[in-house]
Amino acid sequence: PLAEQYREGSNKNYIAGDGSITEITLDNRGDVITFSGTTESGEKVSSADYLGNVLVVNFWYAGCAPCRAEAPELVELNKEFTGQKVQFIGVNVRDGAATAAAFERKFNIVWPSILDSTTGSVLLAFTGVVTPQAVPTTLVIDARGRVSARVLGRIEKGTLKALIKTAVSENK
């Protein structure tokens, strides 16, 4: 379906995910995923900064309609999981610093977003594990730094909440 969307030539400027969910059981998770980058404010961020916490990684860009639609739900989930050893981080795959910062202000996003458009290094870090094949894609990383789940396309708040809760419960 993703290849068909590309070939249709609609020029919607993104490949929409189909909402599919991949969960990886604890005993089938691969190696720790390591990545780093720079945020729109110039801050250096690394996956090592979040070890010991469940990490929700959301791949997005400002012009992506599903990204805009899911932003308020991600903000709500971030608030709901505050103080529960859950951290959110964005990976902007297309925009420059000013555009990314404007999007974050508009949607009240308080977590950092790595600007990955020039290097693609964060995207590449996940290749072969659960490659983000569409934007948006949201990954849940367990407290040891391994991929626990992937939502390919726009999140459904209740589903992502359950995936996060599963990863949190494993950390106890």
Side-chain angles (χ1 to χ4, degrees):
L2 297 176
E4 289 172 18
Q5 286 181 51
Y6 177 76
R7 284 193 295 269
E8 78 183 16
S10 68
N11 293 321
K12 61 185 169 188
N13 292 321
Y14 66 92
I15 300 295
D18 59 7
S20 63
I21 298 164
T22 303
E23 284 189 85
I24 303 170
T25 59
L26 197 55
D27 56 341
N28 286 322
R29 294 185 192 151
D31 296 329
V32 171
I33 304 294
T34 58
F35 60 87
S36 62
T38 305
T39 69
E40 75 290 341
S41 64
E43 175 188 2
K44 300 285 184 194
V45 175
S46 168
S47 55
D49 300 336
Y50 300 98
L51 288 176
N53 294 292
V54 170
L55 183 61
V56 179
V57 182
N58 178 254
F59 291 83
W60 67 281
Y61 69 92
C64 160
C67 301
R68 298 174 78 75
E70 75 179 7
E73 293 174 338
L74 290 168
V75 168
E76 289 173 15
L77 286 169
N78 180 61
K79 286 179 185 174
E80 190 170 333
F81 282 100
T82 297
Q84 297 183 46
K85 297 193 84 114
V86 175
Q87 299 290 316
F88 282 62
I89 188 169
V91 179
N92 187 301
V93 298
R94 191 172 288 183
D95 302 320
T99 303
F103 180 94
E104 292 170 355
R105 279 191 307 274
K106 178 179 175 83
F107 290 101
N108 299 312
I109 294 172
V110 297
W111 55 86
S113 281
I114 294 173
L115 299 179
D116 202 42
S117 64
T118 58
T119 67
S121 63
V122 178
L123 194 62
L124 288 172
F126 292 96
T127 300
V129 180
V130 286
T131 307
Q133 300 168 328
V135 178
T137 290
T138 303
L139 305 175
V140 178
I141 311 298
D142 69 18
R144 292 178 52 195
R146 302 169 308 158
V147 178
S148 167
R150 174 185 73 178
V151 178
L152 188 60
R154 184 174 187 259
I155 61 125
E156 192 285 317
K157 184 181 171 189
T159 301
L160 182 57
K161 180 178 178 177
L163 296 170
I164 296 168
K165 280 185 166 189
T166 296
V168 168
S169 71
E170 297 167 352
N171 197 26
K172 293 184 177 180

